[in-house]
Amino acid sequence: MSRSELLRSLQEAYLRFFCDLGIHPHTGAIRLGHCTCDRRFACYPYVGSRYGQDEGTRLLLVGLDIGADKKKDTAPDCHEGCGTPGVIECFECRRSSIEDKKLRCHNPHIAGTYFTAMRYPRPVEEWENCKGLERPCQQILKEEEEGDKLPKTNALSRIALTNFYKWVTTDGKDMSTTLNRTNFCREREERLLVDEVRSLEPDVVVFQGADFQKPQFAQLRNSVHEAGAEWHILYHPSRLPSNSAPWHRWPCEVVRPVESSLANQ
């Protein structure tokens, strides 16, 4: 499947989702009866420019929530008006906002994701240079961007990234608290994520965050396995146990599974 076909398949899955839940396909606004909800759908998933180009390298990472609905930059060839507040971020702008950013500018989440992408589905050659580094992932990207430890090809270009909870507040406030991790229609939202897996056909799915071990995600994990993908649950790159300093995950810590489908085989 070509990249354009893959994105078309994903978009069709999302448009069906929008129709089922009454979501405006351009603004992401949600209508509940005659009222407009205080949350909105924010963006399409991230799909790197090289996703699936090399056999056996399809990695889909699934986070819990999107976080804050930050001001977005618009990709040069975007015609969707994504830089306008209150507009759904399109595939190309989503890709550009992550893949085209300088490595040293990434936040702890994406910096950790970079090293997860070096290890899964199979290690790239440069993983040997990095797996033993006892420095935070974000610090390594800042110090080694011009060095020879990292891959010549951006590891983030090989992955796809989505979230289980798709919503942000309409007033732009941060959505990363547990209070905001709620569903409008859990069954339909879970089905959308499974549709994403079927469209992207990943070799490996990585769930980012130990919360995915909870019983409420058991059916989702089973559905991913039934779709033919190996899955692993890793600690979130920007979350640490309470007795640790924040934002300081090393490369070895963002690839170590806390639960895995392989353990059940």
Side-chain angles (χ1 to χ4, degrees), residues 132-191:
L133 295 177
E134 297 183 346
R135 287 177 281 160
C137 295
Q138 191 179 37
Q139 179 182 342
I140 295 170
L141 290 188
K142 289 179 179 178
E143 295 174 352
E144 301 292 345
E145 184 171 17
E146 305 300 331
D148 57 5
K149 283 187 169 62
L150 303 178
K152 296 295 186 290
T153 301
N154 187 349
L156 298 171
S157 69
R158 301 165 57 243
I159 70 169
L161 178 64
T162 191
N163 296 280
F164 181 74
Y165 300 107
K166 309 289 188 182
W167 320 106
V168 295
T169 51
T170 54
D171 60 8
K173 291 183 179 178
D174 195 302
M175 282 292 295
S176 61
T177 64
T178 303
L179 178 66
N180 291 312
R181 291 175 181 172
T182 55
N183 302 99
F184 288 101
C185 179
R186 185 182 179 93
E187 180 182 359
R188 185 63 186 88
E189 291 170 48
E190 194 164 301
R191 184 150 42 100

Side-chain angles (χ1 to χ4, degrees), residues 67-141:
D69 186 21
K70 302 178 180 67
K71 181 182 183 298
K72 300 179 287 289
D73 295 324
T74 304
D77 54 352
C78 172
H79 303 289
E80 306 295 327
C82 293
T84 305
V87 172
I88 294 175
E89 188 175 27
C90 72
F91 286 108
E92 178 56 21
C93 287
R94 182 69 168 155
R95 184 208 63 76
S96 179
S97 69
I98 294 176
E99 185 178 336
D100 294 343
K101 182 179 289 187
K102 291 186 179 298
L103 296 183
R104 61 178 176 270
C105 297
H106 283 306
N107 61 29
H109 173 207
I110 300 302
T113 297
Y114 181 96
F115 289 94
T116 303
M118 287 181 65
R119 169 61 183 83
Y120 291 100
R122 59 174 186 247
V124 298
E125 181 179 349
E126 292 83 0
W127 175 241
E128 290 297 319
N129 300 333
C130 300
K131 66 181 184 180
L133 295 177
E134 297 183 346
R135 287 177 281 160
C137 295
Q138 191 179 37
Q139 179 182 342
I140 295 170
L141 290 188

Side-chain angles (χ1 to χ4, degrees), residues 6 30 37 66 70 151 160 181 224:
L6 186 154
I30 307 164
C37 182
I66 294 172
K70 302 178 180 67
R181 291 175 181 172
V224 167

